[in-house]
Amino acid sequence: MTPREIVSELDRYIVGQHDAKRAVAIALRNRWRRQNVAPELRDEIAPKNILMIGPTGIGKTEIARRLAKLAQAPFVKVEASRYTEVGYVGRDVESMIRDLAETAIKMVREEEQLRVQVKAKEGAEERLLDILYPAPAGKTRRATTIDADGNIEIAGSDTHSETREKLRKLLRDGYLNDREVEIEVTAQAAPMLEVLTPQGMEEMGANMKELFSQIMPKKSRRRKLKVPEALEILAQEEAARLVDMENVTREAVRRAEQSGIVFIDEIDKIAGRETAHGPDVSREGVQRDLLPIVEGSTVNTKYGAVRTDHVLFIASGAFHASKPSDLIPEFQGRFPIRVELQALTKEDFIRILTEPENALTKQYVALLETERVQLRFANDAISAMAEIAAQVNARSENIGARRLHTVLERLLEDLSFSAPERGGQAVDIDAEYVHSRLDPILKNEDLSRYIL
């Protein structure tokens, strides 16, 4: 996709923030450009990491998540505040790359299972037919006749094969869906133990549990299931058998290295110089630990070594109490692209409530349709909700578009509760309804701080 197409696709889900969309679109397109340059220069081109600056709830995480979905790239979101220097309470920073490798493995395995889906279904169908109509044991004697030319031939036809094909047709046409069959299901025995490891070494505990699960024998048990459920389980087993996990691992590691995206949120929580006292002694230490990962290093995972030289890192933070220059210089230098996202206004809230494909108003309409309640939002109601959200953000903490969740939930609370008894009704939400529900809370400033 061209940068213009990427921005257009992001516009379907995220309102505003054009500068940030342009920055990530260029970064994504540069990956495609890098794959098409000469091999001797390809390894020298490093990704230009991005630092997003702006208050919470304005779309920073959503931009990165939608970008990864567009690129079909392994994506992992982490919070910088989860990590501290090894020895303090927290996780080892290398765990983010291990999480990225796990995501890549899952993504490639699902793709491979989808590729062999037809073959897996055929194999599952054969296994199910063997259960429904087993082949006769040994040889059976058949009657013979002599034709007009004097040749001996077997009377009749292969009745087992014919019956099996008739059964196959019934199975495909759904006539056997209500029938129960007994199949043998193999389950990996999970050890009922907990491995206690020092802080920052949780990966060792996970590997120990996996090792024990491989040592313990696999258990199989027989289950009675309806034909469609049995067919689905058998198809999953066949797909898992057909997938070559060595190729999956090789492709997943390559994809994590070449197209992986790591989104580091709350980067401002580790900004700030070391102090001689206080609880923030490890802030700069976290930056020092993150630095090798962002600069480019090799991290050992259970799928092999993963290089981070070409992983795209997108960091974000509100920077209310600190500023990007409070980060250590080496860390600042690894995020050359700085993008400042703008706080949302009333007009932005109106667009958020109406334009995106997954707009909140559309979600509530779809939810209440399941109760046969037809919900309709008038334009003045949308405007009133946007104005209230903007007011509350201005008076208390600015949490961006997340404020709309609390406003809408409070507005439709009674309707959501009584919806099962109101099936078949149509409910119109206008400005008068919005103000009648929310103005009493809005006027009581102390109450609005807790409820809205």
Side-chain angles (χ1 to χ4, degrees):
M1 298 175 73
T2 65
R4 199 178 303 279
E5 290 171 340
I6 294 169
V7 170
S8 177
E9 191 68 21
L10 291 174
D11 283 339
R12 293 172 55 196
Y13 300 97
I14 303 150
V15 170
Q17 315 304 353
H18 190 66
D19 291 344
K21 291 174 184 174
R22 281 172 61 93
V24 297
I26 292 169
L28 188 61
R29 184 65 175 183
N30 279 340
R31 292 198 151 187
W32 176 83
R33 291 166 180 157
R34 176 180 163 270
Q35 296 295 332
N36 289 277
V37 301
E40 59 272 11
L41 189 59
R42 189 179 303 157
D43 284 342
E44 303 299 324
I45 300 174
K48 306 301 182 289
N49 298 325
I50 301 167
L51 177 61
M52 295 185 185
I53 305 162
T56 184
I58 58 174
K60 300 189 294 292
T61 306
E62 192 66 16
I63 286 173
R65 185 179 287 117
R66 293 289 175 185
L67 183 76
K69 196 171 181 180
L70 284 177
Q72 295 181 339
F75 173 79
V76 64
K77 176 186 179 292
V78 298
E79 286 80 32
S81 53
R82 291 170 61 193
Y83 303 101
T84 61
E85 292 174 287
V86 176
Y88 292 89
V89 176
R91 295 190 67 191
D92 178 14
V93 293
E94 291 185 350
S95 62
M96 69 173 69
I97 304 303
R98 298 190 186 103
D99 292 342
L100 186 69
E102 289 284 354
T103 303
I105 287 285
K106 182 181 177 184
M107 181 182 293
V108 177
R109 183 171 57 225
E110 287 175 353
E111 289 176 4
E112 286 297 305
Q113 287 179 348
L114 198 62
R115 188 178 60 82
V116 300
Q117 189 176 22
V118 174
K119 197 171 182 181
K121 282 184 176 178
E122 290 175 356
E125 196 177 75
E126 293 296 331
R127 287 176 61 182
L128 192 60
L129 288 173
D130 287 339
I131 296 169
L132 290 168
Y133 189 61
K139 295 182 179 179
T140 57
R141 188 183 298 274
R142 292 183 182 173
T144 58
T145 58
I146 299 175
D147 61 7
D149 297 326
N151 298 319
I152 298 175
E153 63 177 12
I154 297 172
S157 59
D158 189 352
T159 55
H160 180 271
S161 177
E162 278 189 355
T163 308
R164 189 181 175 93
E165 290 307 312
K166 289 176 183 176
L167 204 58
R168 189 193 306 275
K169 189 174 187 307
L170 292 173
L171 177 65
R172 290 178 176 175
D173 292 342
Y175 291 108
L176 304 179
N177 286 352
D178 293 331
R179 183 169 175 177
E180 280 193 346
V181 293
E182 190 175 9
I183 63 170
E184 190 168 327
V185 180
T186 303
Q188 183 74 36
M192 299 298 293
L193 57 90
E194 191 66 35
V195 182
L196 299 177
T197 57
Q199 292 289 347
M201 301 182 70
E202 294 87 351
E203 186 72 21
M204 182 186 294
N207 289 339
M208 290 284 287
K209 289 177 76 173
E210 185 177 353
L211 177 64
F212 280 119
S213 68
Q214 290 176 354
I215 292 173
M216 295 182 72
K218 292 183 178 179
K219 291 182 178 179
S220 61
R221 60 192 182 96
R222 301 191 71 81
R223 292 179 60 189
K224 276 191 174 182
L225 298 167
K226 292 287 182 73
V227 164
E229 297 174 20
L231 196 60
E232 187 177 346
I233 290 175
L234 293 174
Q236 289 173 359
E237 289 184 1
E238 288 295 308
R241 187 177 59 82
L242 290 169
V243 170
D244 186 348
M245 283 308 296
E246 287 188 7
N247 288 338
V248 167
T249 302
R250 196 180 307 114
E251 171 62 20
V253 169
R254 186 200 68 80
R255 199 175 293 189
E257 290 180 340
Q258 302 300 322
S259 61
I261 298 174
V262 176
F263 182 78
I264 308 176
D265 203 3
E266 298 180 0
I267 201 75
D268 56 319
K269 302 296 188 298
I270 60 167
R273 301 299 181 184
E274 280 193 15
T275 55
H277 60 277
D280 299 329
V281 68
S282 63
R283 281 188 176 186
E284 209 169 295
V286 179
Q287 296 180 55
R288 286 196 300 267
D289 285 349
L290 283 170
L291 192 58
I293 306 292
V294 179
E295 283 182 334
S297 60
T298 302
V299 176
N300 289 318
T301 71
K302 62 184 178 183
Y303 305 109
V306 177
R307 290 176 56 199
T308 65
D309 301 69
H310 300 290
V311 174
L312 176 65
F313 290 90
I314 302 175
S316 78
F319 289 98
H320 290 310
S322 57
K323 49 189 183 296
S325 58
D326 289 334
L327 297 165
I328 60 175
E330 298 89 343
F331 199 78
Q332 292 182 50
R334 287 293 164 180
F335 289 87
I337 302 175
R338 308 278 179 87
V339 182
E340 186 173 359
L341 286 81
Q342 304 302 316
L344 299 172
T345 63
K346 175 188 171 182
E347 288 70 27
D348 292 328
F349 286 144
I350 292 173
R351 293 180 60 198
I352 289 169
L353 286 169
T354 54
E355 290 184 10
E357 292 192 2
N358 59 341
L360 277 176
T361 50
K362 297 176 184 176
Q363 293 179 26
Y364 277 95
V365 168
L367 285 172
L368 290 174
E369 272 182 2
T370 62
E371 304 275 9
R372 296 188 303 111
V373 175
Q374 189 178 1
L375 188 63
R376 293 190 291 254
F377 287 95
N379 290 334
D380 58 352
I382 301 281
S383 180
M385 287 187 289
E387 186 177 354
I388 289 172
Q391 283 181 29
V392 178
N393 273 348
R395 283 164 45 178
S396 57
E397 285 292 328
N398 184 0
I399 60 172
R402 293 190 179 97
R403 186 72 66 187
L404 294 171
H405 288 270
T406 57
V407 169
L408 264 165
E409 195 61 36
R410 175 58 57 177
L411 176 70
L412 301 174
E413 182 181 21
D414 288 344
L415 181 58
S416 296
F417 186 82
S418 61
E421 292 85 37
R422 301 179 66 169
Q425 295 184 16
V427 179
D428 292 315
I429 306 295
D430 55 13
E432 184 181 351
Y433 184 91
V434 173
H435 288 299
S436 66
R437 293 284 302 151
L438 300 180
D439 278 358
I441 302 171
L442 197 62
K443 288 174 182 175
N444 188 338
E445 188 166 342
D446 291 332
L447 186 62
S448 67
R449 286 178 182 273
Y450 289 98
I451 296 182
L452 291 179

